[in-house]
Amino acid sequence: MALDKATVQKLAERLDNAETQRKEIAKITDDYPDLDWDDAYAIQDALRAIKVARGTRIAGLKMGLTSHAKMKQMGVVDPVRGFLADYGQVADGGECDTAGLIHPKVEAEIAFVTKRALSGPGCHIGAVLAATDFVVPALEVIDSRYLDFKFDLKSVIADNTSAARYVVGGNASNAVGMDLKNLGVVTEKNGVVVATASGAAVLGHPAQSVAMLANMLGARGQEIPAGTLILTGGVTEAVAVVKGDVINVRYQHLGSVSVRFV
Ligand code: OOG
Ligand code: MG
């Protein structure tokens, strides 16, 4: 760790304020260029603690930057992990209030719900499929707290991987027997197709994203508990949205999820 505890706390508060006040800030590596990976996740943990102390419940976990489309779009090369807050939930077919967001973008994601805990190191696709209760179609609304949505990997980790809102569809499917690799995904904005991909875009197979999460947590002595909702990361590049836009994501076999921005 390059930062002391007080600085970690100060930066977590800066990010929390940016979110609650809807105010973009400079990426934190501008001020702290020597920040290391442990610092970045320590800031994310402190941010989570600030929210939990305020009454927020952690509703799930997320992986981000798991597809080449996303890595290329954001100019970074490694997946990252974050958490989902209860206040980020938006009902399928519901409305997402843009007044609470800075510069939202939407990404199509395949979500898993575990029935058993998963731990690493050594977690693999087979272990993930065995521990999966079901998969559901989802979408994430990301909203970087950084100026112009521009950041480096350490800054975006500290900012809880741009997590903001998410929609989870109710059509649960068994992951076993489902060809998640070849599962087609079509994102429509206002009725026009804006992005397409298949499940393999996410680390070759979306379950690999869950395995990676278990291994990342395992490196810190943590695990994915049973009953955890996990967003596996955007299948396609993220699509910018403004008030009035309607997003509908159609998943082969899994059904669709939609949201209207108001
Ligand atoms: C970082 C978060 C990426 C995903 O699904 O790839 C993410 C960002 O692009 O702002 O959630
Ligand atoms: Mg995402």
Side-chain angles (χ1 to χ4, degrees), residues 62 64-65 70 74 107 109 140 142 149 151 161-162 233-234:
K62 63 167 280 192
L65 305 168
K70 282 284 317 183
M74 304 321 296
E107 40 195 31
E109 308 214 8
E140 184 178 24
I142 51 171
F149 227 111
F151 47 70
T161 66
S162 311

Side-chain angles (χ1 to χ4, degrees), residues 152-208:
D152 49 42
L153 221 38
K154 287 170 187 162
S155 293
V156 75
I157 290 167
D159 185 28
N160 190 25
T161 66
S162 311
R165 306 283 182 265
Y166 51 94
V167 179
V168 179
N171 188 24
S173 303
N174 198 335
V176 176
M178 168 93 50
D179 186 2
L180 287 172
K181 220 174 162 68
N182 283 304
L183 189 129
V185 183
V186 179
T187 302
E188 295 170 357
K189 177 171 148 179
N190 304 327
V192 178
V193 174
V194 287
T196 59
S198 73
V202 174
L203 296 172
H205 190 295
Q208 184 62 43

Side-chain angles (χ1 to χ4, degrees), residues 119-127 211 214-216 218:
S119 55
C123 186
H124 50 74
I125 286 189
N215 290 326
M216 287 168 105

Side-chain angles (χ1 to χ4, degrees), residues 6 40 91 248 259:
N248 184 29
V259 62

